[in-house]
Amino acid sequence: MGRYIKKYPILLLVAGLVAGNLYCEASVNVPCSFDTTITNLREFEVVSRIETKEVKASMPLQIITGAEMEQLGITDIADATRRFSGVNVRDYGGLGGIKTVSVRNMGASHTAVSYDGAPVDNIEGGQVDIGRFSLNNISRLSLAVGQKNDMLQCARLYSSASVLGITTRQPQFRGGKSFSMEAKIRTGSWGYVSPYIKWSQKITDRLIASIDSDYTRSDGNYPFTLENGSETIKERRNNSKIGNWHAEANIHMPLSDAHQINVKGYFYHSKRGVPGAVTLYNPVSTETLWGRDAFVQVKYRGAFSKRWKLQVIGKYANGWSRERETGVQYTGGIWQAEYTQNEYFISGAASYNPIDRLSFGIAQDVMVNTLSSTRSSCPFPSRTTSYTSLTAKYEGGRYELTANLNGVVTSERVKTGKTPDSFKCMNPSVGATWQPIADIGWNIRAMYKKTNRLPTFNDLYYDRLGVRTLRPERADEYNIGTTWICEIHGIPDYFSITADGYYNHVNDKIVAMPSTHNWRMMNYGKVNIYGIDINAFVSFSIYDRIRLNLSGTYSWHNTSDITDSKASNYKAQLPYSPQHSGNCSLTFSSPWIEAGYSLVGVGKSYYMAQNIPANILDGYIEQSFSLGHEFHLTKCSLAIRGEILNLGNARYEVIKYYPMPGRSFRISFNFKI
């Protein structure tokens, strides 16, 4: 695909002039509805009502819509996820850097990722790189601590400490048309170009198909400053070039108002240089990483009566990666390895309401994972995992109670060496919310949840590092909080605030420890995590179709290692765990212009276990600004948006020796038919 961009740049200009964007329509999607008619709704009012219901949930839930991400100039999933309170995104720099999500400092392996309701897993490393997902077709992004308040979710999602949910947009059609098309082109600093196109076709009233695709390339060699004592050195990132292509096809079959089937095919391919850590006088990196992820999933969801509902999901996923590095230290001057993962997944979930206000749910998942590699030491492992979930929920007039019991059973097989023991566990969770005063939107909520993080294939089998006797990490989550929601007729017309205090405890933490001749994985670690998360949102309806939204979050974490009371790092803050973080955003929308400003601030942290001044990683504040206007033509519209990222040109690192980009610019063209 990259060669077409180089040879036919005029095609990109044409694509820009026929670019399309349906973000505003996406923000009001109701996932279970396939209504193909469009009514000019006041999008922000609808979104507010959705938030009102979900803010009251017993387990903390945060949401950002596709329209909001577009207006704030958010660049990718990682950038959007940083806007949630309690989140620590580990970013290794630039578009090509791996990006993982840790919620409330539990570790990225404790965060499950779902894509349109089906879990996304990486059994090899345990951490899902969210940088592979495109923002172009996303309706909303949600983050649930514990689990979402959905009786029909997969049992696999109940087994994680938190869930990052990605929901894609469903096709919509204007003016009675049977098709819709949108295309977009975005370009910016350091050779960044990203064209996108989507076609949706209404074949019959009960059959709708869509296909979308995007390509992204960037040189990525942004400048940075290297400090060496009193000397300041101007450098430029190298080996940062990336090219990735994503395509997705969907078939939507609303069999009736109560039954629907969705079929999704997903493909992602990337080739990227791995810039590596920046060290003095040796900034050169020669490593290249290829990746390919593909899956097909089928989802049925239906209601057989007012009391019975059912969901069934089937999925097959394939992941392939290749690493290559050159250097005189390798035989023949080159080192290369390939890895292939396969996943087979099936899930069934049912809910039953025997009486009003009382509901029960059951979910059963079976997942089979395999790993193969060109490395001679690979034991070709396979794992079969069964997840079973039982849920009960009672919704009173002013309170809600939820209880869940989640069971996990694993069976491991290898072709060579000792087979790890099977694992079984039963993990409970309970949640409650209470409205002390009727007709006042003030609620108190509390939650407890127990989870386990299974060892990954790398933890168990990686050459000279893996240990096959590892136990799963055990985690306990406690949360107590309050929410206040106020909807009024005036200026402002909507206000909400949530505040949660929490305590997490992790036992048998899996860490790499030095042994006699090399490093080995071990169950060696106890971690205490205390924290506070605060979220606030206020919306002003200034005049007809003129609206101002202001939101902000703040998080305080105290994450300490309590493994060994005699160790020098006893009760010290864990590496890369800042105590303070937060963000705020301001968006303005009118018939003439849309503008957005956002600020993300992160306090200092330590990049080593010892909390000494030499190990401090400085905090930072990053600002972004976007400005756009939509021109309404006879039967179409053209939108132009400009973005300034890292407005203050802040120089900072999320991971030590991996400098992040400074100020950059982007512009996009969108066209609606």
Side-chain angles (χ1 to χ4, degrees), residues 71-75 79 82-83 584-586 595-600 621-627 642-649 652 662 664:
Q71 195 169 6
L72 289 172
I74 291 175
T75 58
D79 189 24
R82 287 195 304 163
R83 314 302 166 117
C584 66
S585 63
L586 178 68
Y597 169 81
S598 66
L599 178 151
V600 176
I621 293 178
E622 185 184 54
Q623 305 171 74
S624 299
F625 178 75
S626 68
L627 189 66
E643 303 163 1
I644 305 178
L645 311 177
N646 196 353
L647 180 64
N649 199 30
Y652 66 96
S664 63

Side-chain angles (χ1 to χ4, degrees), residues 430-476:
V430 292
T433 182
W434 174 49
Q435 185 181 14
I437 304 173
D439 301 323
I440 295 180
W442 173 43
N443 290 266
I444 298 173
R445 62 187 179 191
M447 178 201 80
Y448 165 74
K449 184 171 184 177
K450 186 177 183 64
T451 58
N452 296 88
R453 197 275 276 185
L454 298 174
T456 67
F457 282 171
N458 280 348
D459 293 335
L460 295 170
Y461 309 113
Y462 200 85
D463 189 26
R464 295 189 302 275
L465 183 70
V467 174
R468 303 191 187 193
T469 57
L470 287 175
R471 300 181 301 276
E473 291 183 9
R474 296 173 290 144
D476 294 276

Side-chain angles (χ1 to χ4, degrees), residues 253-269:
M253 291 182 284
L255 305 178
S256 66
D257 292 339
H259 302 269
Q260 61 184 18
I261 296 176
N262 294 331
V263 181
K264 179 184 295 290
Y266 173 96
F267 180 83
Y268 173 82
H269 182 273

Side-chain angles (χ1 to χ4, degrees), residues 189-211:
S189 303
W190 310 308
Y192 172 82
V193 177
S194 181
Y196 166 77
I197 189 166
K198 178 177 181 178
W199 180 275
S200 302
Q201 183 71 48
K202 183 180 177 182
I203 301 172
T204 69
D205 289 340
R206 300 299 182 189
L207 183 60
I208 301 170
S210 66
I211 184 169

